[in-house]
Structures are given as structure tokens and as C-alpha cells.
Amino acid sequence: MPTVREIEAAGYRSLRSIRFPVGPLSVFVGGNGTGKTNLYRALSLLQAAASGQLTRALAAEGGMESVLWAGLRRKGEPARVRLAAELSDDVTGHVYTYAVEVGIPPLMTAAAFALEPQVKTERLTVQAGARPFTVLDRDGPAGFVRDEEGRKRPFGTDLLPTETALAALQDAVRFPELQIVRQALGAWRFYHDVRTDAGSPLRRPCLAVTTPTLASDGSDLAAVFATLAHIREDTAELDAAFADAFSGARLVVPPPDREARFGVIFPEYPKRTFDPSELSDGTLRYLALAGALLAYRLPPFLALNEPEASLHPDLTEPLARMIVRASRRTQVWLVTHSQNLAAAVAEHGGLRPRVVLKREGATWIEGLRLAGDFSDGDD
């Protein structure tokens, strides 16, 4: 599966225009209002482009009038959101660059609602040698795509202005490069919607189905634990991470029947197993993060947004160690406002956290040069 080498975003909320490299473990730290969450959202919008949900996701954020860069524009500059990702396949050596621009419909058009987001341009290039070649090129409704033999073809379907060609052209045999990029972006996993309230799915049993990767909302956490315990038959990392956070406590994962369950035995009550419905929000959230970071199979790209929320400060170091451990198996992207968590991840992972700040109203990253690399040479 291709890995992420670079991300670009422009015209989106506080992201005036920014391009930066991505490594095995990326840590972004900043205060409230600096726009670090917008960096995270830009990633999720790229995934939405691959699934065909990009314009719907922008509409759900409040529409174009809400998501567009609100600062000054150069004269004649169109009001658009631009998103791009560069992916690298270490096996073949191919580099894939996908970019999409979204704007508002022109006046007096019957092809879209008045204020709905509309795909304006879309391109995919592949570099397999000295020079890249264009696989997909779209400008409005017109464009071409190259087939498996490298010949230019019309899209072969009437694309709506709200559809991405990346999602619409599903023939993996005729358009293999599109399939590679679509699959790579679609496999990204984002963990920011994990609830711990009384009605959270984390607090209930789930269907006993082999589950190698935790769902974004954590609803199959019990099945993830059961998969490690009874399919892989190896919970050493999970047990160690739990003991690291809760000294003397033990995670219990019974053999599932129709449903998978788990519980916790605390040293103060060695004969009683506490169900998830009885656990504190912090304990349950830590367990969900353990399920995300230590699952049987990790997604190729795993993004965390402020995972320290509702955790006791004593859990910062154990969480940092889990994050670094996961980055040895996959790419991990961390956005946090906790200086302590960023410092702990930096110490255990041997990297430099990137400080997100505002520069003339726009989100920027300390040390980032306009060329799209960092001045310290540490990607």
C-alpha cells in the first residue's frame, strides 16, 4: 500500500496555502485557534474525495461560504478549496500525486444547486521514471483518463459536478492507477469520534466477528480485543500497554459467543470484573486508543486528533509509548494541544514535534519553508 509523502491544502478555512512532508510519525502541537484541526480535516476531505463524499462533506461543514479561506485573495484568484496528496509505493517506486479543487457553481447553472460545492479540477499524475505522466485530467465536466494500455479515453460516464472522477471511475482493470490511489486513501483511518458517554457503543458488547482493525467510532472494540486474544492468540503488547497505564489491573477478554465482551479487574477488587459500562471515561478512552493503536492489523495511515482528551495526566507517557509503537507498523499522524504528550512522543520516537501557529491570519508550521520542506532538514 502506498505511503503518504506530502500533503497540500489551500483555500480551506485557515489554510491559506500550505504544503509539507509527512513521515512515519507526524506530531503537530499548537494552541486553540491555530488551525491544527483544519490540517486534520484536510486529510479526511482527501479520503472523502476517494469515496465520492467530498462535496457532501464540505456541505456538512456549512457549505462553501463556511469552508473557504476568509482572508484576502489576489485579484482574479478564484474562490476554491484545493487538496492534494503525494503517495509513494516503496515496492514499485511509483509516486502518485492526486489533486482536486472545489468551488461554487457559476451563476445561472441548472447542473447544481445555488450554493453546493462543485468539483472544478481533478488530476492524478504518476511518476514511474524520470518524468511524471498524467493519468487523469479533469477541468469542469471535460477531461480524460488513461486506460491500462496508456491510451487517453473520455470518462465514459456523465460526471455530475458534485462527483469526483476518482470515485466514479471504478473499473480497476481499465484504470489501475485510479484504483491504487482510491484504495490507498480509502484505507486511511481517523480516530476523533470515539465517545465515552453512557450511551457510547464502547460500553456495550458487539458482534463476535473477526475484526483486525478498529472502526473509527470504536464500536467494535470488544471484537478487536477478542481477535487479538482468541484468533491471533497474542495479547502481549495489549497487556503490557494496559499494565503500563493501570498498575496491577488486568484486561479480561472471555471467549466470545454471539457477542464479544471485555472487562477489567482492578487490584483493589481482585474477585470482580468491571464491565465497560462501569469504567470511567478516561479508562474507556485509553482502552479505545489501545484498540486503535495495537490492533491485529493497522490501517496504512492512522490519524489521531487530540487523543489526550479526558485522559488523566498520568496516562500521557503510556499513550505516547503506544503511539510510537504503532508508528513502527504504520504511518501515524497526531494533532494535539498537549505539550506534554508532544514532548513524550518526541522523546520516545526520536523526532521533533511540529508547532502549528498563525502567521498573518493563516495556519502555518514553524520551520516550514515555502518550498514545502522543513528548514532543519528533519521530515
Side-chain angles (χ1 to χ4, degrees):
M1 187 76 72
T3 57
V4 186
R5 275 201 344 189
E6 186 177 271
I7 295 294
E8 178 185 353
Y12 174 65
R13 295 192 179 274
S14 65
L15 306 181
R16 174 68 182 90
S17 181
I18 192 167
R19 178 168 61 92
F20 51 93
V22 179
L25 176 56
S26 300
V27 180
F28 298 91
V29 61
N32 292 330
T34 56
K36 61 186 184 299
T37 299
N38 291 336
L39 294 172
Y40 181 90
R41 286 175 176 168
L43 292 172
S44 66
L45 291 174
L46 279 164
Q47 186 183 62
S51 66
Q53 299 296 311
L54 175 58
T55 57
R56 179 176 290 274
L58 289 170
E61 287 192 25
M64 294 302 295
E65 65 270 32
S66 176
V67 303
L68 282 170
W69 161 252
L72 296 176
R73 297 188 185 88
R74 293 184 295 271
K75 186 177 180 179
E77 181 183 3
R80 292 183 179 180
V81 171
R82 173 180 167 82
L83 305 162
E86 185 179 281
L87 311 174
S88 176
D89 190 325
D90 294 336
V91 176
T92 64
H94 293 179
V95 176
Y96 303 85
T97 302
Y98 173 74
V100 59
E101 292 187 359
V102 181
I104 58 177
L107 296 176
M108 303 301 292
T109 178
F113 300 121
L115 297 176
E116 71 175 331
Q118 192 175 72
V119 177
K120 299 297 186 178
T121 69
E122 197 175 0
R123 286 179 179 83
L124 173 62
T125 63
V126 180
Q127 185 165 352
R131 299 179 61 183
F133 64 95
T134 302
V135 172
L136 168 70
D137 194 339
R138 173 188 183 181
D139 194 347
F144 70 84
V145 61
R146 294 187 189 273
D147 63 19
E148 73 277 17
E149 297 178 357
R151 294 175 297 189
K152 289 184 178 181
R153 299 286 191 186
F155 292 145
T157 183
D158 292 329
L159 286 178
L160 291 171
T162 53
E163 294 179 308
T164 57
L166 182 63
L169 303 177
Q170 290 279 338
D171 192 330
V173 175
R174 293 188 66 199
F175 312 123
E177 293 88 359
L178 269 66
Q179 170 65 9
I180 289 170
V181 172
R182 182 169 55 245
Q183 186 174 14
L185 297 179
W188 294 359
R189 197 60 62 92
F190 298 86
Y191 293 104
H192 61 274
D193 284 336
V194 178
R195 295 166 39 208
T196 57
D197 58 87
S200 167
L202 294 175
R203 297 188 181 277
R204 298 191 297 271
C206 67
L207 293 176
V209 177
T210 300
T211 307
T213 307
L214 184 70
S216 289
D217 64 356
S219 57
D220 50 9
L221 180 61
V224 167
F225 288 160
T227 299
L228 286 171
H230 305 291
I231 301 297
R232 187 175 184 175
E233 298 182 335
D234 182 359
T235 60
E237 280 195 342
L238 179 61
D239 293 338
F242 189 70
D244 189 23
F246 306 101
S247 180
R250 182 163 57 93
L251 182 65
V252 178
V253 185
D257 41 41
R258 291 181 180 273
E259 293 181 319
R261 296 172 172 80
F262 68 89
V264 175
I265 296 177
F266 292 101
E268 304 94 318
Y269 308 99
K271 296 184 178 181
R272 183 170 185 271
T273 300
F274 288 78
D275 292 332
S277 61
E278 302 174 280
L279 299 178
S280 70
D281 288 356
T283 300
L284 195 60
R285 184 170 180 82
Y286 184 86
L287 283 169
L289 289 166
L293 294 164
L294 304 176
Y296 191 151
R297 181 185 304 129
L298 297 185
F301 187 90
L302 188 158
L304 301 170
N305 187 21
E306 299 186 357
E308 72 280 0
S310 80
L311 295 185
H312 190 278
D314 289 348
L315 298 179
T316 299
E317 286 284 339
L319 174 59
R321 285 189 278 269
M322 276 203 303
I323 290 171
V324 172
R325 190 178 298 118
S327 72
R328 299 178 186 134
R329 297 170 56 194
T330 188
Q331 282 189 281
V332 178
W333 170 289
L334 169 64
V335 172
T336 177
H337 63 64
S338 170
Q339 295 283 351
N340 290 337
L341 177 59
V345 173
E347 178 184 355
H348 295 294
L351 55 85
R352 177 175 298 183
R354 297 300 175 187
V355 177
V356 181
L357 44 82
K358 278 287 185 69
R359 193 176 71 174
E360 298 180 356
T363 295
W364 197 250
I365 303 171
E366 190 175 69
L368 180 65
R369 298 186 291 198
L370 292 178
D373 59 359
F374 289 106
S375 56
D376 55 19
D378 176 15
D379 291 350

